[in-house]
Every structure is written in structure tokens, then in C-alpha cells.
């Protein structure tokens, strides 16, 4: 597909649609500022991945007209919410029109009878919950990027919530939403016909089709969300271990305990603990004998949490775990959002701060496969570190992955540091190769390449057909039917293959 250059005529028509000063931006800084995400990206290639124009709509009608205009001219559209994603879902691959939804940030209705709130896609969880606090309820979607991620982006990535074991993840907490399809048509999807119902057996369950679409199937313009009572109390416990295996078995015992108040269970491996010793501004350094950390959190009423906390304490110590203490445990849990998007995570061998960017590979992995997957991931990381001086292994952590059922699979994430400003084409291609190897290990062990961030970056995007298997053909059919001109976030998830002649491959 040949991508046309954005003409003055198109810009003029966009200004006519939006009819507001500052709603159509073509200057260099506006385009650059909306083309990056926190994940590493090669500085020498930034110029290649910019939108031609940025628009900031306020209404569904405006978004619909923008998308129809893009179809008329065959111009790519890239939806962007908070830009906090770690898989390049909001990075323009083919230029075009970037639709920034941050001005669509209104709370439209708080319904305390049906326990719902209806919002625009440009609002974030922290702002929303400040308004909800006076009503004694919260919207419990709790990503690491809680303060800056927006509802529209959470739907686009089908994100993981740090409170997911108690309340569910984004896919569970979003009841329904309005979305502008790639043709400009506006539809509402949910569990059925009603905007506020949680269960229906009528027709296809289309909501899940559009959860995690990574901007390839439309632009969300309104969402109705689940409200839950604000927890009366919370409890967090961190346990220290001399070896990873014992910590891993303790993690499993707590996660499979059946406690209804369990919000999440976390596990840091030896490489993560060692990295945190270097990054001591964000962590209270533990003795050298500590090689792994297991932590659990509980949320609910006092009548529920207090007896459950006693069980967690027993389980955490049952295999020899050492409790870290009330003050550190509660403080570390309370600070769970603080490290997101920190630009100076890196520390060299002498403890000096270095400007490394954070990259993570997150996968959903069956419990039985975790030790072997970790071993292979760290071996891959060491191999690339030995050959290139831009990589650093920041360790891995595991987190309960199933909403309301933490005994299922888990999120396993390996974190890497990269010196972005040292990256050249050779080391960038090495990074792509590293990502591909890590993703392949996850697939080989019965997992998913991504549990929450998506597979839209070079290195794993090309493995989407491998993970999807026979359903890849159905996925391409859906994309082609809903987006006949391939204008909606083209270049992502290998979906350009849907537009090739039958049997052809990229």
C-alpha cells in the first residue's frame, strides 16, 4: 500500500471537522511528542515513525468524521491515549493522522444504583477515583502506570491490573464501550444489548473481540465501567528467601489458597533482587543472603482481611520465608506505581546512574513451565549482554494473572535495560532478535507472548501468526472485513498480511 502524503486539503478538512484552536497540530514538536512511548526506540530512527498531523477530538461524531475522511483519502489512522504502552501500539508505522483522545476526558454518569460509571476514553484511573471517592466506590483497574494510563488505552491493550486477583483485569471491569470502527461507523459492544449488563447469552460476545485490539479495529470514544465498594482495609506481606525455588513454591501456595480477598501475589527472582540492590533509590536493600522475594496483598472489609492475613502469614512462613516487617511491606506495596516511566533506572557496576531505558517482555505462562522459561530467558539475556554493551538484565518477576482466580496461569516478565542513545542499527537489530527469541520461548512452553502489553513491536509482532495458530486466518478475515482499506494502525501485529493475495506471505 502506498501511503499518501498529508495534503493541505486534508489538514483544512480536519480543521473544519474539529473547529477549535489547537485541535489540529502539524508542528514538529507536537508530532514528535506523540510518537514515542516509554519503551526503548532507536534514536537514529525516530524521524521514520512520526504522524503527519495530530488531531484532538472531543466527541464521537468528530472521531467518526475523521475516520471517514481517512478512508476517503486512504490515509493511516493511529489512535493514542496515554502513550504509556510498552509495545509501540501508539507509535505510527506509516505516518498519517494520529488521533489523541486526551480531551475526551469527561465523567458522563455515575450510577450508584447499578454500580457503573460512564466516561470518555481520555480519563485516567487516578483522576476518576478522586471523583468517585466521595461516593465510597472505586474503579479498581490498577496498572503500574495508574497515574498516567487512560481508559481508552487500557481497553486497547486489555491491560493487567495489580488488583486483578480480587477485582479482575480491564477486560472484566469494562462492561461496555462505544467504538468508531475503521470505516467510521459507530457501534456499542458489551456483554449484550444493554450498556450496563454484565451477562448475556444473546448473539456473539463482541466485547472481547475489541479488547486488546491495539488500535487496529477502531477508536473507543466512551466506556461504561464497573464500580466496587472502596476497600475498608488492605494488608501487604513481603517474605524473603535464600533461594528461588522455595519462594516459587510459597508463591504457588498463597496464590492457590482460595482467599477471596487476595488482590495479588508477586515473586522477584535472584536477578531482580540483585538489580534492586543496585537501584537502591527505589528499594530498601536486603542482606546478601536474600535471593528471592514473595509478596501478597489483600483488600476488603476488616472482617474479611484480618483472618485472611493470618493465613497469608502462615503460608508465607511455611517453607522458611522471613517476614520483612510491617513498615517495609506496607510501604513497598503502597509505592507500587512509583517506578513506572522512571528515565534513570540504570546503575553501572560502580552504582553510578546511567540513562538506560526500561524494556520488558511480559508473557502468560503456565505455572509448571515457569522455572524452565526463566532459565532460558536469562541465558538469552546473558548472551546478548556479552556481545553488546547496551543491554543489562534487570531480572524477572511473576504476578498472578487470572482475574478472580489467581491459581491459573501467571504473568512472567523479564526486564531489560537499554542504552538508547548508544543504539545503532546493528544493536537495534540485535534488540529485535532478542525479543524474538524471548517470545519464541514463551510460545514453546504453552504460553502467550504477552499478558498485558501486546505484541506490536518488531521482534514479536511477526510471531503473532505462530501463537494464533489456525485462528490466524479468522483474525485476518475479521481485520479485512472491518478495515477494508487497512487504515487503522497499519503495520501492527502482522495484520498487513490480511491484505496480500491469498497464499502470499510478507
Amino acid at each position: 500500500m502506498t501511503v499518501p502524503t498529508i495534503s493541505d486539503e486534508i489538514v483544512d478538512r480536519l480543521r473544519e471537522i474539529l473547529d477549535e484552536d489547537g485541535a489540529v497540530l502539524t508542528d514538529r514538536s507536537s508530532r514528535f511528542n506523540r510518537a514515542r512511548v516509554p519503551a526503548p526506540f532507536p534514536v537514529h530512527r525516530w524521524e521514520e515513525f512520526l504522524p503527519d498531523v495530530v488531531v484532538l477530538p472531543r466527541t464521537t461524531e468528530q472521531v467518526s468524521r475523521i475516520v471517514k475522511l481517512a478512508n476517503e483519502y486512504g490515509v493511516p489512522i493511529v489512535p493514542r491515549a496515554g502513550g504509556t504502552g510498552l509495545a509501540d501500539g501508539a507509535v505510527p508505522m506509516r505516518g498519517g493522522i494520529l488521533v489523541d483522545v486526551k480531551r475526551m476526558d469527561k465523567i458522563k454518569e455515575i450510577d450508584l444504583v447499578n454500580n457503573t460509571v460512564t466516561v470518555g476514553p481520555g480519563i485516567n484511573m487516578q483522576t476518576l477515583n478522586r471523583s468517585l471517592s466521595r461516593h465510597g466506590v472505586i474503579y479498581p483497574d490498577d496498572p503500574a502506570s495508574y497515574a498516567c494510563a487512560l481508559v481508552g488505552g487500557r481497553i486497547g491493550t486489555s491491560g493487567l491490573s495489580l488488583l486483578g486477583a480480587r477485582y479482575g483485569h480491564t477486560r472484566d471491569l469494562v462492561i461496555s464501550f462505544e467504538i468508531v470502527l475503521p470505516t467510521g461507523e459507530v457501534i456499542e459492544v458489551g456483554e449484550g444489548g444493554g450498556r450496563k449488563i454484565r451477562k448475556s447469552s444473546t448473539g456473539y460476545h463482541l466485547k472481547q473481540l475489541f479488547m486488546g485490539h491495539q488500535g487496529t479495529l477502531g477508536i473507543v470514544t466512551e466506556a461504561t465501567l464497573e464500580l466496587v465498594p472502596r476497600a475498608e482495609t488492605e494488608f501487604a506481606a513481603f517474605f524473603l528467601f535464600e533461594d528461588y525455588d522455595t519462594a516459587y513454591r510459597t508463591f504457588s501456595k498463597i496464590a492457590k489458597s482460595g482467599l477471596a480477598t487476595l488482590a495479588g501475589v508477586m515473586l522477584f527472582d535472584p536477578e531482580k533482587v540483585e538489580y534492586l540492590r543496585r537501584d537502591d533509590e527505589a528499594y530498601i536493600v536486603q542482606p546478601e543472603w536474600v535471593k528471592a522475594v514473595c509478596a501478597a496483598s489483600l483488600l476488603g472489609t476488616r472482617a474479611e482481611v484480618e483472618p485472611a492475613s493470618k493465613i497469608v502469614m502462615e503460608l508465607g512462613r511455611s517453607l522458611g520465608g522471613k517476614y520483612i516487617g510491617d513498615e517495609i511491606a506496607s510501604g513497598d506495596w503502597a509505592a507500587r506505581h512509583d517506578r513506572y516511566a522512571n528515565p534513570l533506572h540504570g546503575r553501572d557496576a560502580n552504582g553510578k546512574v546511567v540513562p538506560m531505558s526500561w524494556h520488558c517482555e511480559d508473557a502468560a505462562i503456565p505455572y509448571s513451565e515457569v522455572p524452565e522459561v526463566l532459565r532460558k530467558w536469562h541465558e538469552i539475556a546473558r548472551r546478548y549482554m556479552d556481545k553488546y554493551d547496551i543491554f543489562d538484565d534487570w531480572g524477572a518477576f511473576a504476578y498472578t494473572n487470572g482475574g478472580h482466580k489467581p491459581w491459573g496461569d501467571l504473568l512472567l516478565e523479564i526486564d531489560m535495560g537499554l542504552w538508547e542513545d548508544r543504539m545503532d542499527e546493528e544493536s537495534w537489530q540485535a534488540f529485535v532478535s532478542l525479543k524474538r527469541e524471548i517470545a519464541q520461548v514463551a510460545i514453546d512452553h504453552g504460553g502467550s507472548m504477552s499478558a498485558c502489553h501486546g505484541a506490536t513491536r518488531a521482534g514479536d509482532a511477526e510471531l503473532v501468526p505462530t501463537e494464533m495458530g489456525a485462528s490466524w486466518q479468522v483474525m485476518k478475515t475479521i481485520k479485512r472485513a472491518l478495515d477494508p482499506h487497512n487504515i487503522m494502525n497499519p503495520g501492527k501485529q502482522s495484520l498487513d498480511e490480511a491484505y496480500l493475495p491469498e497464499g502470499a506471505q510478507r
Side-chain angles (χ1 to χ4, degrees), residues 150-292:
L150 307 185
V151 165
R154 296 292 290 164
I155 295 171
T157 59
S158 190
L160 177 138
S161 170
L162 299 177
L163 308 180
R166 179 73 168 95
Y167 301 114
H169 300 293
T170 308
R171 66 188 181 198
D172 308 299
L173 296 167
V174 175
I175 303 170
S176 66
F177 52 89
E178 183 180 73
I179 185 168
V180 176
L181 296 178
T183 56
E185 180 186 358
V186 182
I187 65 170
E188 191 169 275
V189 295
E191 298 294 348
R195 189 179 65 175
K196 299 179 182 181
I197 61 172
R198 278 80 168 175
K199 176 72 172 69
S200 168
S201 293
T202 306
Y204 299 139
H205 292 182
L206 294 179
K207 184 187 83 170
Q208 297 302 344
L209 171 64
F210 291 95
M211 295 295 298
H213 62 91
Q214 297 288 345
T216 65
L217 293 181
I219 302 174
V220 172
T221 54
E222 182 178 282
T224 297
L225 315 173
E226 183 85 31
L227 296 180
V228 303
R230 188 176 183 86
E232 182 182 4
T233 189
E234 64 180 350
F235 171 81
F238 283 63
F239 301 95
L240 310 177
F241 294 85
E242 296 181 2
D243 65 279
Y244 179 79
D245 181 66
T246 307
Y248 167 68
R249 288 188 288 128
T250 301
F251 174 96
S252 297
K253 290 181 71 171
I254 297 174
K256 298 173 185 179
S257 63
L259 295 171
T261 56
L262 199 64
V265 189
M266 297 148 280
L267 176 63
F268 292 171
D269 76 350
E271 288 82 358
K272 175 62 72 178
V273 173
E274 180 54 38
Y275 164 67
L276 290 171
R277 286 196 178 96
R278 286 185 277 150
D279 194 16
D280 57 3
E281 291 181 10
Y283 181 72
I284 298 174
V285 177
Q286 299 303 316
E288 285 298 323
W289 64 263
V290 178
K291 303 301 181 185

Side-chain angles (χ1 to χ4, degrees), residues 32 36 41-50 423-425 428-429 432 458:
F32 259 92
R36 300 280 68 80
F41 203 86
V43 175
H44 69 286
R45 298 191 65 181
W46 278 10
E47 292 270 4
E48 300 174 40
F49 301 99
L50 296 175
M423 190 177 280
D424 57 18
E425 188 60 27
W428 168 248
Q429 293 304 323
V432 170

Side-chain angles (χ1 to χ4, degrees), residues 488-504:
M488 193 59 69
N489 215 3
K492 305 294 171 67
Q493 294 182 320
S494 296
L495 282 167
D496 287 349
E497 187 180 310
Y499 302 87
L500 298 176
E502 191 67 32

Side-chain angles (χ1 to χ4, degrees), residues 405-423:
K405 39 188 175 293
W407 49 86
D409 61 337
L410 51 78
L411 160 69
L412 191 64
E413 176 175 305
I414 184 169
D415 297 325
M416 299 288 294
L418 282 90
W419 280 36
E420 250 181 310
D421 59 351
R422 290 186 174 186
M423 190 177 280

